[in-house]
Amino acid sequence: MTSAGASDYDVIVVGAGPAGLAAATLCASHGVSTLLLDEQYGPGGQIYRAIAETPLRDRSLLGKDYWRGKKLLRDFENCLAHYQAGATVWAIASNLETAYSVGGKARLAKPQKIILATGALERPAPIRGWTLPGVMTAGAAQILLKTSGLTSSGPTVLAGSGPLLWLLAWQYLRMGRKLDAILDTTPLTNYASAAGRIGPFLASPYFFKGLKLLLQVRAKVRVWSHVTELYAGGGDKVEFVGFKCAVGISRKIAVDTLLLHQGVIPNTSLTRALNCEHVWNELQACWQPVADEAGRTSVPGVAIAGDGSQISGALAAEHSGRIAALGALADLGILSKKDAANLAGTHRNALRNASTGRAFLDTLYRPSRALLSPLGETVVCRCEEVTAEQIRSAVDHGCQGPNQLKAFLRCGMGPCQGRLCGPTVTNIISDQTGRSPTDVGSYRIRQPIKPVTLDELSGLTAKNSDKISVNR
Amino acid sequence: MFSRQRDEAEPPVAFTVDGERFFGRATDSVAAAMLLNGKVATKRAAVSGSLRAPYCMMGVCFECLVAIDGIGNRQACLVRLREGMVIETGSNRRGVPA
């Protein structure tokens, strides 16, 4: 692994999480010139965040699964791929030329193939008061823990549904941190639906691990189950979380930090900006890029691997990365289709094993309708402060879809480019009109997908062909 | 709001937020270092002007926008803390000169 200069590569991999690290390592091991670009200042993506330099060196604190990342990183460091940290990819042209910025300077690199391993983000799950300072995602708290060894210092409540919620609670307890409550919003009805899928889950690696974790947390933390309503309140920062349970109990708990979680969904910024086809995953209630068995998207030369392709977890992601790498190697002619398929066989089996039990988890932890498509004064577009009520009203007044909503309400027009409101907008319009999410569609995303200054753009060297194309 | 429990023997990194001096560590992002020091609010919401603070810590929410060393609207959660950094909050809203 060496640091990158500005030249052209056979393969560019975007994202240094498990899928990206594995993909780049495999490509480089077959002698292909590979560049790994990652926005964060250290490798590991989100799940293995700060794996190279976490201050929490006592391995029992974060748990065994986290330290798998060390092996992935070591393998990558031993390969000949180039790695550029702090590289924000802001545009990819139709000829795959990739524009990215490092330390305020823009660069271009032209690969033959691109493997996107851009991962996931927390599902935005708006509640009243979620924009208050002190309200963050469970993932955010985990990042603070991994990179800086920080835990929340005042009264803290975790609210939501999904494995990460319990994992974070477990890690906080390992750090000696007390938690005031866990508000579990897993809908009561999900238990019955999930029961039908429990078979494979019982046989999966997640079952014993997850059960042990859950029991350890429940022994130490007050858990309120079947929470049907959730809201936060306060002045300049969050001061309390209010909730209602299915049994009819209503409570308010004073908090300094409120950590929300409703699962993770693919980060589709780049795939949308590239005009890849996407499909609505009804079980996971999210969009994912359409991809073949080697992650090839509908855009030639662009493959997607890992959670950015479909949420399957960290272990599945590394196998997915290797499968995409083998696909790229076959497409480059480095491997014959037959050899690539044979080599992919082991990884496909591993991917299948790592994905066992997911259907159970996805069914159990599917958020309630109320959380997926909120009502009333709940802010949906955080950037432009557009509420659920305003969106529903616009739809009643004839707004046809997410893109027209931009014109009606500026919803989706803020700096986050719809990352945090897009999913909810699709859900609300679907809810309000009775049309399916597939029919409703999603925001059209324009490049650049991250802010770029004029200074950075002017710093790019223009080739003669570039100048001619503008001066036509 | 957030505190560091196990202080490893790493050298402190000095930085300022709105002119006030604080300390963090080299592994901290600017956002983490701000939260650690109780400087929670980073910007004001575009319409109401209410205070906002980091939400996602991974670069997708754009709430942690601050000016770093004179350059505004930088995502504090993506920038590694460096010695002598000058952070200014509220950089996302510009006044119109009279």
Side-chain angles (χ1 to χ4, degrees):
Chain A
M1 182 194 81
T2 50
S3 82
S7 58
D8 295 332
Y9 295 85
D10 290 324
V11 178
I12 287 181
V13 179
V14 182
L21 287 171
T25 305
L26 202 152
C27 282
S29 74
H30 283 265
V32 146
S33 68
T34 309
L35 173 63
L36 176 62
L37 296 172
D38 187 73
E39 187 172 45
Q40 305 295 336
Y41 52 82
Q46 302 313 322
I47 190 68
Y48 301 129
R49 185 79 181 239
I51 192 71
E53 58 176 4
T54 179
L56 300 181
R57 277 168 230 135
D58 174 352
R59 293 193 169 205
S60 71
L61 293 172
L62 290 171
K64 203 164 69 101
D65 289 346
Y66 172 76
W67 291 99
R68 167 69 190 160
K70 201 78 180 180
K71 168 80 172 51
L72 283 178
L73 179 62
R74 208 163 282 143
D75 289 345
F76 176 70
E77 285 171 334
N78 289 330
C79 82
L80 293 175
H82 289 183
Y83 167 55
Q84 181 63 67
T88 298
V89 172
W90 44 267
I92 298 176
S94 53
N95 68 350
L96 305 189
E97 188 172 50
T98 303
Y100 61 101
S101 290
V102 183
K105 294 256 182 318
R107 301 185 200 172
L108 297 172
K110 166 92 176 59
Q112 306 271 19
K113 301 290 171 197
I114 289 182
I115 299 175
L116 298 176
T118 38
L121 71 159
E122 293 240 359
R123 182 197 306 277
I127 60 169
R128 254 187 303 145
W130 72 311
T131 56
L132 287 165
V135 180
M136 303 173 76
T137 59
Q142 221 187 31
I143 287 166
L144 287 168
L145 186 62
K146 288 168 179 170
T147 56
S148 305
L150 302 182
T151 52
S152 59
S153 49
T156 303
V157 168
L158 264 58
S161 171
L164 185 63
L165 202 71
W166 301 100
L167 176 61
L168 178 69
W170 185 86
Q171 288 167 332
Y172 261 44
L173 292 174
R174 296 285 319 159
M175 294 291 289
R177 182 75 187 76
K178 207 172 71 68
L179 287 167
D180 291 64
I182 292 177
L183 307 177
D184 187 348
T185 61
T186 306
L188 193 51
T189 49
N190 284 9
Y191 289 91
S193 322
R197 296 175 140 147
I198 201 164
F201 178 66
L202 293 175
S204 81
Y206 305 113
F207 173 59
F208 273 119
K209 216 181 288 178
L211 188 64
K212 198 170 126 196
L213 208 119
L214 207 83
L215 292 173
Q216 284 175 349
V217 172
R218 278 180 168 268
K220 296 249 167 74
V221 183
R222 179 76 204 260
V223 178
W224 298 86
S225 301
H226 320 306
V227 168
T228 52
E229 270 174 48
L230 195 57
Y231 59 97
D236 276 348
K237 58 185 184 74
V238 69
E239 281 156 23
F240 68 87
V241 56
F243 65 99
K244 200 173 186 180
C245 289
V247 290
I249 299 171
S250 288
R251 286 270 196 283
K252 278 191 186 148
I253 305 178
V255 290
D256 194 53
T257 309
L258 175 61
L259 301 172
L260 304 175
H261 184 71
Q262 292 291 340
V264 297
I265 58 175
N267 185 346
T268 55
S269 293
L270 260 182
T271 47
R272 286 285 186 194
L274 287 166
N275 289 314
C276 296
E277 269 175 56
H278 289 73
V279 68
W280 176 256
N281 182 325
E282 177 59 23
L283 177 57
Q284 293 178 338
C286 64
W287 297 100
Q288 58 192 53
V290 170
D292 72 9
E293 78 289 344
R296 296 180 191 90
T297 66
S298 59
V299 172
V302 178
I304 183 95
D307 270 6
S309 169
Q310 174 165 328
I311 303 303
S312 304
L315 288 176
E318 59 174 273
H319 303 305
S320 166
R322 293 186 188 109
I323 292 166
L326 288 167
L329 291 170
D331 294 346
L332 285 169
I334 305 288
L335 291 172
S336 69
K337 280 203 176 117
K338 194 157 163 279
D339 286 343
N342 284 336
L343 289 169
T346 350
H347 304 303
R348 287 196 196 287
N349 288 334
L351 176 61
R352 210 174 355 248
N353 288 336
S355 308
T356 333
R358 279 242 61 110
F360 171 80
L361 292 171
D362 292 340
T363 309
L364 181 63
Y365 293 127
R366 195 179 194 279
S368 67
R369 180 183 176 179
L371 283 165
L372 287 176
S373 81
L375 302 158
E377 64 191 74
T378 306
V379 167
V380 172
C381 170
R382 295 174 62 111
C383 298
E384 298 292 328
E385 305 190 74
V386 181
T387 66
E389 195 173 300
Q390 288 172 299
I391 295 168
R392 290 178 187 277
S393 175
V395 170
D396 288 346
H397 281 89
C399 179
Q400 298 288 307
N403 293 296
Q404 199 174 29
L405 197 64
K406 291 176 184 175
F408 268 68
L409 295 172
R410 273 202 65 83
C411 187
M413 297 282 278
C416 94
Q417 294 176 295
R419 285 171 174 87
L420 290 213
C421 64
T424 311
V425 163
T426 294
N427 288 331
I428 287 178
I429 297 177
S430 171
D431 193 47
Q432 192 70 7
T433 60
R435 285 154 54 205
S436 69
T438 305
D439 196 46
V440 168
S442 70
Y443 290 139
R444 193 157 302 131
I445 304 298
R446 307 284 187 198
Q447 307 196 77
I449 61 148
K450 278 284 176 114
V452 192
T453 63
L454 290 172
D455 199 35
E456 287 173 74
L457 289 175
S458 67
L460 288 170
T461 327
K463 302 195 283 286
N464 259 332
S465 54
D466 299 330
K467 293 179 187 168
I468 290 167
S469 73
V470 170
N471 290 336
R472 211 172 325 179
Chain B
M1 195 168 288
F2 283 89
S3 63
R4 191 144 30 215
Q5 279 171 281
R6 284 136 209 266
D7 235 340
E8 308 290 330
E10 277 166 49
V13 176
F15 65 106
T16 66
V17 180
D18 297 333
E20 238 186 302
R21 198 165 192 246
F22 298 102
F23 292 94
R25 296 268 186 273
T27 54
D28 294 337
S29 62
V30 169
M34 286 177 69
L35 286 169
L36 162 69
N37 285 286
K39 298 305 288 181
V40 177
T42 43
K43 70 173 206 194
R44 288 193 174 273
V47 180
S48 67
S50 50
L51 290 173
R52 294 291 176 91
Y55 173 78
C56 77
M57 290 302 299
M58 58 171 280
V60 295
C61 76
F62 287 79
E63 300 285 13
C64 66
L65 299 180
V66 290
I68 302 178
D69 293 341
I71 299 178
N73 290 310
R74 295 183 67 183
Q75 292 178 281
C77 68
L78 293 176
V79 179
R80 188 196 283 279
L81 184 71
R82 294 227 189 277
E83 180 71 29
M85 264 182 171
V86 175
I87 316 296
E88 288 156 298
T89 62
S91 79
N92 64 312
R93 292 181 114 201
R94 301 298 180 87
V96 177

